[in-house]
Amino acid sequence: MLNANYILSRLRPHYKILYTNEHGRCAHEFILDARPFSETAGIEAIDIAKRLQDYGFHAPTMSWPVANTLMIEPTESESKEELDRFIDALISIRQEIREVEEGKAPREGNVLKNAPHPMSDFIDGDGDGKWERPYSREKAAYPLPWLKEKKFWPSVARVNDTYGDLNLFCTCPPVEDTTGGNLSSVQQE
């Protein structure tokens, strides 16, 4: 509960927080509300979640129990330094959202909508050296200084989550392969 309330208190000036008690506190988790950003910047919780990967963090629970929110539920075993890195990442992401809100970054094709940025985004495959995005490579890869020393690169760029959710395919071997091909004998026993 201490870590959740520490993060909540540092993020409160930057994000709307849902369902706190009469003292503005939470139990072991709290909900960060991304819904206002849909209208002001075209940014959704998924964009924040994907951008967190560029900062080296796995996204928290998304859109549960409220759509377009992030449920922050830290463990008590995280160090204060790690909590501060996570908080600083979310504050930096809020500033990136603000840039879109203020018209300093486009609503589409911005650093959040293109996140995450794997190393392959930065490799000059055709040798022309061009970067065709409205933000710098530096902003994409190293939005905070500590990332230059400790960078975790996402392995893939943005995927179409909705398509993946609606078009499942199994990569498992057929059941017959796991039963030695004699499924009828297993059913009889």
Side-chain angles (χ1 to χ4, degrees):
M1 290 195 340
L2 181 63
N3 285 351
N5 280 288
Y6 174 68
I7 296 171
L8 180 148
S9 67
R10 290 227 20 233
L11 290 179
R12 178 172 286 147
H14 307 280
Y15 292 92
K16 181 179 176 184
I17 309 295
L18 299 180
Y19 309 125
T20 57
N21 68 16
E22 65 273 7
H23 304 290
R25 300 283 181 214
C26 66
H28 65 284
E29 65 191 19
F30 66 92
I31 299 173
L32 187 148
D33 192 359
R35 294 175 300 177
F37 307 135
S38 296
E39 187 174 321
T40 63
I43 300 297
E44 306 287 332
I46 187 75
D47 302 315
I48 297 169
K50 300 289 186 179
R51 184 64 171 146
L52 273 169
Q53 292 180 43
D54 288 330
Y55 289 83
F57 293 102
H58 188 282
T61 301
M62 208 175 59
S63 294
W64 189 89
V66 179
N68 205 12
T69 63
L70 297 167
M71 183 190 299
I72 313 287
E73 186 175 10
T75 66
E76 294 301 321
S77 62
E78 293 295 344
S79 68
K80 184 176 179 302
E81 292 78 20
E82 187 68 6
L83 295 175
D84 286 335
R85 280 187 345 100
F86 180 70
I87 293 164
D88 291 345
L90 282 169
I91 292 171
S92 180
I93 290 169
R94 178 61 183 103
Q95 181 55 39
E96 293 169 350
I97 295 168
R98 193 169 290 111
E99 290 171 7
V100 176
E101 291 171 328
E102 294 172 354
K104 295 175 184 173
R107 284 177 74 94
E108 294 300 324
N110 59 58
V111 72
L112 289 133
K113 289 292 187 182
N114 287 331
H117 298 85
M119 192 179 292
S120 60
D121 280 1
F122 303 93
I123 297 171
D124 187 16
D126 57 8
D128 66 2
K130 293 181 183 175
W131 176 256
E132 304 280 338
R133 299 183 186 189
Y135 50 89
S136 70
R137 287 180 169 124
E138 180 95 2
K139 184 176 187 85
Y142 305 112
L144 290 175
W146 51 263
L147 286 163
K148 291 181 180 176
E149 294 177 23
K150 296 180 180 180
K151 175 73 176 173
F152 174 82
W153 291 94
S155 56
V156 296
R158 179 74 66 113
V159 297
N160 184 334
D161 297 304
T162 304
Y163 179 85
D165 290 345
L166 296 173
N167 296 279
L168 300 175
F169 62 93
C170 183
T171 60
C172 305
V175 173
E176 292 78 20
D177 289 357
T178 61
T179 62
N182 193 356
L183 190 56
S184 60
S185 65
V186 174
Q187 292 172 339
Q188 292 174 1
E189 294 176 9

